Amino acid sequence: MTTRPIDLMRREVLAQPAYAVAESAGMIKLDAMENPYAWPGELRMAWLEALSDVELNRYPDAGARAVTAAIRAAHQVPEEAGCLLGNGSDELIQILISAVQASGRPVLSPIPTFVMYEVLARAAGVPFVGVPLKSDFDLDGPALLRALEEHRPALVFLAFPNNPTGRLYDPGLVAEVAAANPGLTVIDEAYAPFSSHSFLSQAGGASGLMVMRTMSKLGLAGLRLGYLAATREWTDALDRLRLPYNINALTQRSVSFALAHAAVLDEQAHILREQRARVSAALAALPGVRRVIPSDANFILFELAGGRGHPVFEFLRVSGILIKDVGRAGGMLTDHLRVTVGTPEENSAFLTALTEALRS
Ligand SMILES: *Cc1c(COP(=O)(O)O)cnc(C)c1O
């Protein structure tokens, strides 16, 4: 007799499609918040040189000590905080959820937000509570405080700034939510290189706040490295759930190298912030664009007139420009599109095609 997945796995897991990535070969890729810039030639050569003596026959340093020290220094992770590395921050989200799985208490997040909080909660059989944002995509403070009391979540994820909206929540309200939360509060700062505010200096302190960051959006998405800064009591506990050698040897060496040459990535982030202002202003001036959400990230969410979101997305796609049709999720995001900020040339191509799409 053959055993089928449905015999052993939960229906809700099987009902959920695997994480889908759009086909993008040959297109201007503005859908995934990647840094569009490559490294200058000499830096690339120096990087390959730095990789040349990595011992691929050996397991990587299990504690990833050198790269952790480099991250702590480069990002000024508070001395009292522990620092746990993940294979992308996605893995840290998974570790956090598996840590609280047996508590029976839910994961809670304002919605719409980064989908992995809910996807990974569901995969682990942990209930997920979504608290709708206000129509301007800021936190609904009273609703959130009520939900904390009613559901007593084990974990609250606050993407700061949020994805897919780009909005930075009111920091005072974030602190209030963290203080009222009976469980853990994780501030997900995936977009820190583009943001005007951070909670990292509070991580590991008396507030109990945890701060999660990633190297992905800064320009190292291919390496898969994220970190969680929290009290040592918590990073020590979570470390028990981490797979041994979760950060491979090439990633450890490459991130150390990149942080030693951080000025290059910082300059790229600076250009992208300038381009964000340019694209936001151009979008706001386009007839047919209903609103542009203020962004603290390297992408911009904008709303089109009723019913136009999907057709405009398709027009752009056929023109060779891939953005994200977040409106497909429906609800508050109906007719909203999300564009990642690219190089000046890519942004011009996007704005030209969008202008044409809105005219037709
Ligand atoms: C992209 C993103 C992540 C995931 O980052 P990885 O480190 O690449 O796994 C986490 N949180 C938010 C809010 C994101 O947008």
Side-chain angles (χ1 to χ4, degrees):
M1 208 175 80
T2 43
T3 304
R4 304 191 56 228
I6 194 68
D7 301 326
L8 297 173
M9 291 175 68
R10 273 180 298 117
R11 254 163 226 284
E12 55 171 354
V13 172
L14 292 172
Q16 173 175 291
Y19 190 82
V21 176
E23 177 54 46
S24 62
M27 300 181 81
I28 294 183
K29 196 170 182 309
L30 302 175
D31 67 324
M33 286 76 106
E34 292 148 323
N35 174 337
Y37 292 105
W39 287 353
E42 329 82 87
L43 194 62
R44 227 183 145 75
M45 293 314 289
W47 165 59
L48 291 173
E49 181 68 33
L51 290 183
S52 64
D53 66 342
V54 173
E55 296 185 295
L56 297 181
N57 56 318
R58 302 288 177 199
Y59 282 104
D61 176 10
R65 286 163 298 185
V67 68
T68 304
I71 289 170
R72 296 189 75 104
H75 291 186
Q76 285 136 46
V77 175
E79 184 57 42
E80 68 270 27
C83 187
L84 185 75
L85 304 197
N87 192 315
S89 38
D90 287 346
E91 189 190 34
L92 294 166
I93 298 168
Q94 190 175 45
I95 290 175
L96 283 159
I97 290 173
S98 68
V100 302
Q101 197 170 17
S103 71
R105 285 161 58 179
V107 169
L108 183 147
S109 201
I111 52 168
T113 191
F114 186 50
V115 293
M116 294 312 287
Y117 309 142
E118 182 171 0
V119 167
L120 293 172
R122 191 183 299 150
V126 174
F128 178 84
V129 177
V131 181
L133 292 167
K134 296 192 295 184
S135 58
D136 64 358
F137 297 122
D138 199 359
L139 287 181
D140 183 340
L144 206 47
L145 293 171
R146 271 197 310 277
L148 292 177
E149 209 169 283
E150 183 185 340
H151 298 285
R152 300 193 51 78
L155 258 176
V156 172
F157 286 105
L158 297 173
F160 184 84
N162 190 26
N163 171 12
T165 68
R167 264 209 81 140
L168 203 61
Y169 301 132
D170 170 9
L173 196 47
V174 169
E176 206 180 315
V177 166
N181 180 10
L184 300 171
T185 305
V186 181
I187 314 285
D188 181 350
E189 296 189 351
Y191 299 95
F194 313 100
S195 172
S196 55
H197 198 98
S198 169
F199 283 92
L200 186 56
S201 64
Q202 293 182 36
S207 68
L209 278 183
M210 297 180 164
V211 174
M212 191 166 67
R213 292 230 184 146
T214 174
M215 300 294 154
S216 296
K217 283 34 190 256
L218 177 64
L220 302 172
L223 292 176
R224 311 298 300 129
L225 190 86
Y227 69 90
L228 181 78
T231 61
R232 286 181 195 272
E233 184 181 20
W234 269 106
T235 53
D236 287 350
L238 295 169
D239 200 31
R240 293 160 162 89
L241 294 166
R242 185 176 61 85
L243 292 179
Y245 315 114
N246 63 330
I247 312 300
N248 75 71
L250 296 173
T251 293
Q252 293 191 29
R253 184 68 65 88
S254 299
V255 171
S256 293
F257 176 88
L259 290 173
H261 300 84
V264 174
L265 293 174
D266 291 346
E267 173 58 21
Q268 293 173 348
H270 175 76
I271 298 171
L272 292 171
R273 287 194 301 269
E274 283 178 354
Q275 286 295 309
R276 173 180 71 200
R278 171 202 164 205
V279 176
S280 297
L283 283 172
L286 267 184
V289 173
R290 215 176 236 174
R291 64 170 172 169
V292 179
I293 312 305
S295 171
D296 259 58
N298 63 339
F299 60 86
I300 302 161
L301 182 73
F302 59 101
E303 181 183 12
L304 298 180
R308 301 223 56 191
H310 188 65
V312 166
F313 165 79
E314 270 302 318
F315 183 102
L316 293 171
R317 198 178 62 78
V318 172
S319 316
I321 298 169
L322 185 64
I323 64 170
K324 184 86 174 178
D325 183 9
V326 292
R328 285 183 75 170
M332 293 170 80
L333 290 173
T334 303
D335 286 316
H336 287 71
L337 298 176
R338 186 190 71 194
V339 63
T340 302
V341 178
T343 64
E345 298 73 32
E346 290 173 334
N347 299 332
S348 296
F350 158 71
L351 289 167
T352 303
L354 177 64
T355 306
E356 206 182 315
L358 289 172
R359 235 191 253 126
S360 60

